[in-house]
Amino acid sequence: CLVVFTKILMFYKWIRLFFSNINELFLLILYFCALEIIPCLLVYKGVMELNNYLVIKF
């Protein structure tokens, strides 16, 4: 419950930061891609490559 509440407050902070002007939606998308989505995709790709390597070795 505390984690969900913290995430909601962080999202509200980001909305207040990036939506001072409505044209700054691009900055919010860029922020999420750079700090939230891209690292998850890189970890996923790394795990898939490791899985392929281990399957070939065994």
Side-chain angles (χ1 to χ4, degrees), residues 10-57:
M10 288 172 57
F11 185 71
Y12 175 73
K13 181 184 78 167
W14 294 326
I15 293 295
R16 298 279 301 171
L17 179 67
F18 289 111
F19 282 126
S20 60
N21 189 358
I22 196 66
N23 295 330
E24 296 175 355
L25 176 64
F26 177 71
L27 291 177
L28 183 64
I29 293 170
L30 183 64
Y31 176 78
F32 278 120
C33 285
L35 295 178
E36 300 288 334
I37 298 170
I38 298 298
C40 290
L41 291 175
L42 290 174
V43 167
Y44 174 75
K45 183 67 174 172
V47 168
M48 294 304 291
E49 290 295 324
L50 182 63
N51 184 36
N52 290 337
Y53 177 75
L54 291 174
V55 169
I56 292 171
K57 281 296 205 185

